[in-house]
Amino acid sequence: MKPAATVCTLTLLLAAPLAPRCAAAAIPQQGRDRVAQLSAECEKAKYASCNSLGLMYEEGNGAAKDVKRAEELYQRACDGGHANGCTNLGVLYQNGVGVAKDAGRAAKLYQAACDRGSFTACSNLGAMYGSGDGVAKDEKLAIKLYQRACDGGEGRGCKNLGVVYEGGSMVAKDIKRAAELYEQACDKGDPGGCTFSGDLYMGDQVGKDTKRAAEFYQRACTGGNARGCSSLGVMYENGDGFKSDARQAAKFYQQACEGGNARGCAYLGDIYIHGNGVAKDQGRAEQLYQQACDKGYAEGCTNLSKLKGKP
């Protein structure tokens, strides 16, 4: 039987290796016409249009991918007082995408954006203070920033605040409060919050409830959180809360693996080795264990070695 959940909240969030950005408003029209429209508006000091155009260039969505051009547009938007422009520029500098990595500059940009009302920036800045990335570590300030972001509707702020309460860092440990914050994060559209909620309900800290856990993992998986898919697959394989269904488990492991979750790749490999719900396929299992190993999942490396007959 596989472990029900791999809880890694305290290390997963606070380091924040990939800070979220502020999305533009929905784009009703793509391509050259949209680029021309936004360019004209940006030239007329409509800074929201500069930011939207920057996103198009950064993501290669409707325009040829050009991160340098995106940086210039975010900078123009930020200089014009547009909070999301500062946030998105901060993400580039924090992650070193298209520019030299500069966590200190990213923190200043997040501060400016947070002060102008970007709750995504408040959450990103909180994560930097929580880990001491580009700023002096200050967990008390991180908590305040997470709370501000959460109150403003930013799910990730609620999630990170939940991590603090679950771990008891700088505040009294309060699992009930953590559960409330994870659920708020989930409700505000953060799929990671849904996964953490599921983890709590698979344990006994808030009272085991496999039905609720499955609901949260499903929401997480639907929202694009690969670990949520993997955890839901484990529930189906083990028969936690419903009848064991290896075929359904395999589907969720596949979704998790495709989403970058190493555990999902390894567990799908197990399914193919044993022919549990799928046709036995050692070659496919080997590929999956290799994927898991390449992603840093030790069990995948171990299983791969056993499969190849290596000690």
Side-chain angles (χ1 to χ4, degrees):
M1 179 174 286
K2 292 183 168 62
T6 301
V7 183
C8 52
T9 55
L10 297 180
T11 56
L12 177 67
L13 282 178
L14 299 183
L18 293 174
R21 64 186 66 257
C22 291
I27 300 174
Q29 179 184 350
Q30 298 288 351
R32 287 177 294 180
D33 290 345
R34 182 61 174 164
V35 169
Q37 176 190 346
L38 291 174
S39 296
E41 291 173 356
C42 182
E43 289 298 320
K44 295 178 181 178
K46 293 184 178 180
Y47 298 114
S49 295
C50 301
N51 178 64
S52 296
L53 186 57
L55 280 165
M56 290 181 71
Y57 277 110
E58 184 186 352
E59 298 170 357
N61 182 10
K65 190 177 180 72
D66 187 340
V67 180
K68 181 62 179 176
R69 179 63 176 143
E71 178 207 359
E72 294 169 352
L73 288 160
Y74 292 150
Q75 185 68 67
R76 183 165 187 180
C78 184
D79 290 344
H82 193 269
N84 289 354
C86 299
T87 301
N88 290 335
L89 186 59
V91 172
L92 293 185
Y93 278 100
Q94 185 180 4
N95 296 330
V97 177
V99 296
K101 190 171 183 177
D102 189 336
R105 183 169 182 183
K108 291 177 180 177
L109 287 161
Y110 290 151
Q111 184 67 68
C114 182
D115 290 343
R116 293 170 183 171
S118 169
F119 297 113
T120 298
C122 298
S123 179
N124 290 358
L125 184 60
M128 296 188 81
Y129 275 108
S131 62
D133 179 23
V135 292
K137 188 171 182 177
D138 188 336
E139 291 180 289
K140 288 184 177 179
L141 181 54
I143 290 169
K144 289 180 181 178
L145 287 162
Y146 294 151
Q147 187 67 67
R148 182 175 178 184
C150 183
D151 291 344
E154 176 65 28
R156 186 169 174 269
C158 303
K159 178 177 65 181
N160 282 357
L161 191 57
V163 169
V164 173
Y165 277 101
E166 184 179 358
S169 175
M170 297 302 294
V171 296
K173 187 170 183 175
D174 189 337
I175 298 299
K176 182 178 178 181
R177 177 65 176 143
E180 292 171 349
L181 286 161
Y182 291 153
E183 187 163 353
Q184 283 184 49
C186 184
D187 290 343
K188 294 177 191 297
D190 187 288
C194 304
T195 296
F196 292 168
S197 291
D199 292 345
L200 287 183
Y201 283 106
M202 282 304 295
D204 57 8
Q205 292 176 301
V206 293
K208 187 168 183 177
D209 187 333
T210 55
K211 182 179 179 181
R212 291 205 72 187
E215 289 172 352
F216 279 118
Y217 286 146
Q218 182 65 71
R219 291 173 68 183
C221 185
T222 300
N225 184 276
R227 192 167 75 80
C229 300
S230 177
S231 295
L232 192 57
V234 171
M235 292 189 74
Y236 272 102
E237 186 175 4
N238 290 345
D240 289 323
F242 15 59
K243 185 178 179 180
S244 180
D245 187 338
R247 187 181 297 274
Q248 191 67 25
K251 291 180 181 178
F252 284 116
Y253 291 152
Q254 180 71 48
Q255 197 169 343
C257 184
E258 290 174 353
N261 181 265
R263 185 181 68 153
C265 299
Y267 285 2
L268 185 59
D270 294 343
I271 292 277
Y272 276 101
I273 279 291
H274 299 294
N276 190 12
V278 299
K280 280 188 178 183
D281 189 335
Q282 183 170 322
R284 176 65 175 142
E286 184 175 326
Q287 292 174 351
L288 289 160
Y289 288 148
Q290 185 68 65
Q291 284 181 257
C293 184
D294 291 344
K295 296 177 190 296
Y297 191 67
E299 189 175 325
C301 303
T302 300
N303 290 346
L304 183 62
S305 294
K306 289 179 180 178
L307 200 60
K308 291 183 174 181
K310 296 179 180 179

